[in-house]
């Protein structure tokens, strides 16, 4: 077997998963640790080069789809203005800034090629930023904006990249008209394809009524949607995101088995793919460095630092004024008082500009005979690694320094959940009384009491999260005591069932069925 293929299939995933597991156990940032390990291992696998098709066809669609189904369509709609300013406006601005910087540093390079580099490094990969943001409890608005940016900015960047590469090769003109037309065609077409496929897939999933089959179809969905969209020359990225948002928005109407299985499947998929992706970034160091002519190493180093600085500061220069511009316009032209924008949130979004594997994949997709290709690869690599290490390592410290949290949002969420649980419990108990009164079944009073007790206990648990339980300070609430005791009971019960299996008093199939039921109950207790 070819060495590179063996590395790609077996060695990289094993190392990536092992490193990610250690990082999770130690509480470290998995993406940063994986990149560092890839950098260290790069000289040991000098023959391995990133296949851009592997990223754009295998990794990107499922990661985008998973992020989309886990996102809130309603929140993205509410924050569509800042998301658009970042995913479209910032990408265009960064492309222009970096393109002019590279053109000034390398005047011998065609302007279209310089703009191609700008498009390559323009889209941040928010995987690392969002992971840190959620772990440290950033406000929901900030997380939503970062997620929305990461969902749509790749489409903008890849469209600009294709136009610039075509112009540099003499296959087209990089005029404003050409760029605008290509972007509009790709984006609008991607939305239309996504809407049509989302409608079709939603009906297919609804007709299946089988959790295993539904999730198998959903596993194939991002690849199929991306392939169809790209086949008709529109944005596969946008189509995948549209489908994911639509399916995710309708997921609460699916069966409980579909949701439970879907959550587990996509968590595993995300962990597996993201672990491999960040190791692949680090592994590209040796192939990129070996392709360079190091006769003028100081010039290359200076150019790399200049492009890195341009990428970092272009985001700051764009984010700060555009964060306050909508509020100013609302007050100036509509006479409305704008919602205040916390400067701490603006600072965090400004610094969340870590680049990722999509930039490297686009760089490696540059034709082999392209003028200055090794230098463009090197500059891309420096920007990706530099932002991951410099911004990635300092991002958690910045959040802690600014003392930003979502404590108020958590309280509001708990209050809303308690009210919803109260209303749902009342509706459920009313329906129970109707069924008993109608004599639907010969129901014993103890069964009715159990149903009442379970509904009331769920409501009590929701109110206790607000600190309104009946326990005194420093004491456990009744629901907490119930959950603790019930968990201890489940541990003992599980041991008895396993012992019965070991003694051949029940079969493995019986044990699996019983353990499955216990796992559901324990998962409910753990959630509470």
């Amino acid at each position: 077997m070819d060495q590179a293929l063996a590395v790609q299939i077996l060695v990289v995933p094993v190392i990536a998963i092992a490193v990610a597991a250690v990082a999770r156990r130690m509480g470290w940032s998995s993406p940063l640790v994986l990149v560092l390990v890839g950098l260290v291992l790069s000289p040991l696998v000098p023959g391995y080069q990133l296949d851009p098709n592997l990223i754009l066809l295998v990794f990107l669609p499922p990661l985008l789809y998973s992020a989309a189904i886990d996102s809130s369509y309603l929140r993205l709609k509410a924050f569509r203005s800042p998301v658009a300013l970042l995913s479209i406006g910032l990408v265009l601005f960064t492309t222009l800034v970096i393109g002019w910087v590279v053109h000034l540093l390398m005047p011998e390079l065609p302007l279209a090629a310089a703009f191609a580099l700008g498009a390559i490094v323009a889209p941040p990969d928010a995987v690392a930023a969002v992971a840190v943001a959620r772990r440290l409890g950033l406000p929901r608005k900030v997380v939503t904006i970062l997620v929305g940016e990461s969902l749509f900015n790749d489409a903008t960047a890849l469209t600009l990249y294709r136009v610039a590469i075509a112009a540099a090769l003499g296959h087209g003109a990089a005029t404003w008209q050409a760029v605008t037309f290509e972007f509009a065609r790709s984006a609008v077409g991607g939305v239309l394809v996504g809407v049509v496929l989302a409608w079709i897939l939603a009906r297919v999933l609804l007709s299946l009524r089988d959790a295993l089959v539904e999730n198998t179809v959903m596993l194939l969905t991002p690849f199929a949607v991306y392939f169809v969209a790209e086949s008709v020359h529109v944005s596969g990225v946008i189509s995948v995101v549209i489908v994911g948002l639509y399916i995710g928005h309708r997921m609460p109407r699916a069966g409980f088995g579909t949701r439970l299985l879907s959550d587990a499947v996509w968590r595993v998929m995300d962990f597996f793919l993201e672990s491999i992706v960040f190791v692949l970034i680090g592994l590209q160091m040796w192939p990129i460095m070996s392709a360079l002519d190091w006769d003028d190493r100081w010039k290359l180093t200076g150019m790399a630092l200049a492009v890195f600085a341009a990428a970092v500061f272009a985001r700051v220069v764009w984010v700060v004024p555009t964060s306050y511009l909508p509020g100013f316009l609302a007050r100036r032209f509509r006479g409305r008082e704008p919602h205040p924008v916390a400067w701490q949130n603006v600072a965090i979004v400004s610094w969340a500009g870590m680049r990722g594997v999509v930039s490297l994949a686009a760089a490696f997709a540059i034709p082999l005979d392209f003028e200055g290709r090794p230098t463009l690869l090197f500059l891309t690599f420096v920007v990706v690694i530099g932002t991951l290490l410099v911004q990635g390592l300092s991002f958690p410290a910045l959040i802690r320094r600014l003392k930003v949290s979502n404590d108020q949002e958590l309280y509001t969420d708990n209050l809303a959940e308690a009210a919803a649980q109260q209303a749902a419990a009342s509706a459920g108990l009313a329906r129970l009384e109707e069924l008993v009164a109608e004599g639907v079944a010969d129901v014993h009073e103890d069964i009715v009491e159990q149903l009442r007790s379970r509904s009331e206990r769920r409501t009590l648990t929701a109110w206790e999260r607000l600190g309104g339980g009946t326990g005194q300070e420093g004491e456990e609430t009744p629901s907490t005591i119930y959950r603790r005791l019930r968990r201890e009971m489940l541990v003992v019960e599980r041991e008895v069932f396993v012992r019965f299996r070991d003694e051949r008093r029940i079969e493995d199939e019986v044990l699996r069925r019983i353990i499955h039921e216990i796992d559901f109950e324990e998962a409910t207790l753990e959630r509470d």
Side-chain angles (χ1 to χ4, degrees):
M1 180 182 291
D2 182 75
Q3 179 185 3
L5 184 60
V7 169
Q8 181 175 344
I9 293 176
L10 182 61
V11 178
V12 170
V14 169
I15 293 175
I17 293 171
V19 173
V22 173
R24 286 171 59 86
R25 181 179 293 271
M26 300 300 295
W28 299 334
S29 175
S30 297
L32 300 180
V33 176
L34 289 164
V35 169
L36 291 173
V37 169
L39 289 172
V40 173
L41 295 179
S42 182
L44 303 179
V45 284
Y48 180 74
Q49 290 194 31
L50 186 68
D51 183 355
N53 292 323
L54 183 70
I55 301 300
L56 298 178
L57 299 179
V58 177
F59 286 87
L60 186 59
L63 288 175
L64 285 172
Y65 182 79
S66 175
I69 61 174
D70 195 39
S71 300
S72 169
Y73 160 75
L74 296 177
R75 284 207 306 271
L76 285 174
K77 183 180 179 181
F79 299 130
R80 58 186 178 275
S81 294
V83 168
L85 285 171
L86 290 175
S87 59
I88 300 176
L90 177 56
V91 171
L92 291 169
F93 180 71
T94 305
T95 300
L96 292 174
V97 170
I98 294 180
W100 282 111
V101 169
V102 172
H103 185 64
L104 291 174
L105 295 174
M106 301 177 61
E108 69 278 6
L109 193 69
L111 185 59
F115 284 134
L117 176 65
I120 288 171
V121 300
D125 179 3
V127 171
V130 171
V132 173
R134 286 175 171 163
R135 188 174 73 247
L136 297 181
L138 277 182
R140 184 177 295 118
K141 177 179 180 179
V142 175
V143 177
T144 301
I145 290 173
L146 292 177
V147 170
E149 177 190 11
S150 67
L151 287 175
F152 292 102
N153 61 6
D154 289 335
T156 306
L158 291 176
T159 301
L160 294 175
Y161 163 78
R162 289 165 181 164
V163 172
I165 290 293
L169 294 175
H171 300 158
T175 62
W176 286 109
Q177 293 84 354
V179 174
T180 303
F181 173 78
E182 179 64 21
F183 177 76
R185 183 188 63 81
S186 181
V188 174
V191 170
L192 293 176
V193 170
V195 169
V196 171
L197 293 180
W199 187 87
I200 295 173
L201 286 167
R203 270 110 193 113
V204 170
L205 293 172
L206 186 64
S207 66
L208 293 175
R209 301 183 183 278
D210 186 318
L212 187 61
V213 177
E214 286 181 65
N215 279 278
T216 302
V217 171
M218 282 197 284
L219 273 177
L220 297 175
T221 293
F223 305 103
V225 171
Y226 189 88
F227 175 78
V228 170
E230 292 292 325
S231 297
V232 295
H233 307 292
V234 298
S235 175
V237 171
I238 292 181
S239 296
V240 169
V241 170
I242 294 297
V243 172
L245 288 173
Y246 187 82
I247 299 298
H249 188 65
R250 296 180 59 88
M251 189 63 75
R253 296 182 174 88
F256 74 94
T258 300
R259 288 191 300 274
L260 287 172
L261 189 56
S262 174
D263 183 66
V265 166
W266 288 107
R267 281 178 182 269
V268 172
M269 179 72 79
D270 286 346
F271 175 73
F272 180 69
L273 295 180
E274 289 173 5
S275 299
I276 297 175
V277 158
F278 285 105
V279 166
L280 289 177
I281 291 175
L283 286 176
Q284 301 316 299
M285 181 188 72
W286 191 262
I288 291 174
M289 297 299 182
S290 60
L292 286 172
D293 181 5
W294 286 101
D295 291 341
D296 200 352
R297 63 189 64 188
W298 293 112
K299 180 180 178 182
L300 283 173
T301 303
M303 279 195 301
L305 293 176
V307 173
F308 167 72
V312 172
F313 287 108
R315 183 176 181 87
V316 176
V317 170
W318 177 267
V319 169
V320 172
T322 56
S323 297
Y324 298 100
L325 182 61
F328 171 78
L329 294 177
R331 183 174 54 189
R332 181 76 171 81
F333 296 105
R334 302 179 188 176
R336 291 196 317 225
E337 281 299 319
H339 295 290
V341 179
W343 68 268
Q344 295 93 335
N345 292 345
V346 175
I348 289 170
V349 173
S350 299
W351 199 244
M354 289 81 88
R355 270 59 175 180
V357 74
V358 173
S359 294
L360 279 179
F364 273 98
I366 296 175
L368 296 176
D369 58 349
F370 194 86
E371 183 180 354
R373 183 178 187 272
T375 302
L376 296 181
L377 277 172
F378 173 69
L379 296 177
T380 302
F381 183 76
V382 170
V383 172
V384 171
I385 296 297
T387 54
L388 282 173
L389 296 182
V390 175
Q391 293 181 301
L393 289 174
S394 60
F395 195 59
L398 175 66
I399 295 174
R400 297 189 186 97
R401 180 74 175 175
L402 295 178
K403 298 180 180 179
V404 178
S405 70
N406 62 348
D407 293 342
Q408 183 58 43
E409 289 180 346
L410 291 177
Y411 177 82
T412 304
D413 288 347
N414 289 336
L415 181 61
E417 180 186 353
Q421 289 279 16
Q422 186 79 55
S426 299
L429 291 173
R431 180 56 178 161
L432 175 63
E433 299 299 337
E434 290 176 4
L435 293 173
V436 173
E438 293 171 2
V440 174
D442 185 13
V443 183
H444 294 286
E445 182 59 31
D446 59 338
I447 296 176
V448 175
E449 190 57 36
Q450 288 178 32
L451 292 170
R452 288 178 182 145
S453 176
R454 175 169 295 186
S455 183
E456 291 168 354
R457 187 170 61 245
R458 185 180 296 114
T459 303
L460 179 62
T461 299
W463 285 112
E464 285 175 350
R465 290 198 190 97
L466 295 168
T470 59
Q472 301 298 320
E473 185 176 356
E475 296 181 2
E476 292 180 299
T477 63
S479 294
T480 304
I481 296 173
Y482 169 84
R483 292 194 301 273
R484 178 170 58 83
L485 296 179
R486 184 55 184 153
R487 277 196 292 263
E488 293 292 336
M489 293 171 63
L490 290 177
V491 171
V492 176
E493 291 176 14
R494 187 183 288 108
E495 291 175 352
V496 171
F497 290 126
V498 172
R499 177 164 56 83
F500 271 47
R501 190 277 311 273
D502 293 342
E503 295 173 357
R504 303 301 300 274
R505 298 167 68 176
I506 60 174
E507 296 295 331
D508 279 294
E509 290 79 6
V510 177
L511 175 66
R512 281 194 289 267
R513 184 167 63 248
I514 296 172
I515 293 297
H516 189 62
E517 295 174 356
I518 292 177
D519 289 343
F520 270 105
E521 183 176 356
E522 192 168 9
T524 302
L525 294 171
E526 183 67 24
R527 185 268 177 196
D528 291 338

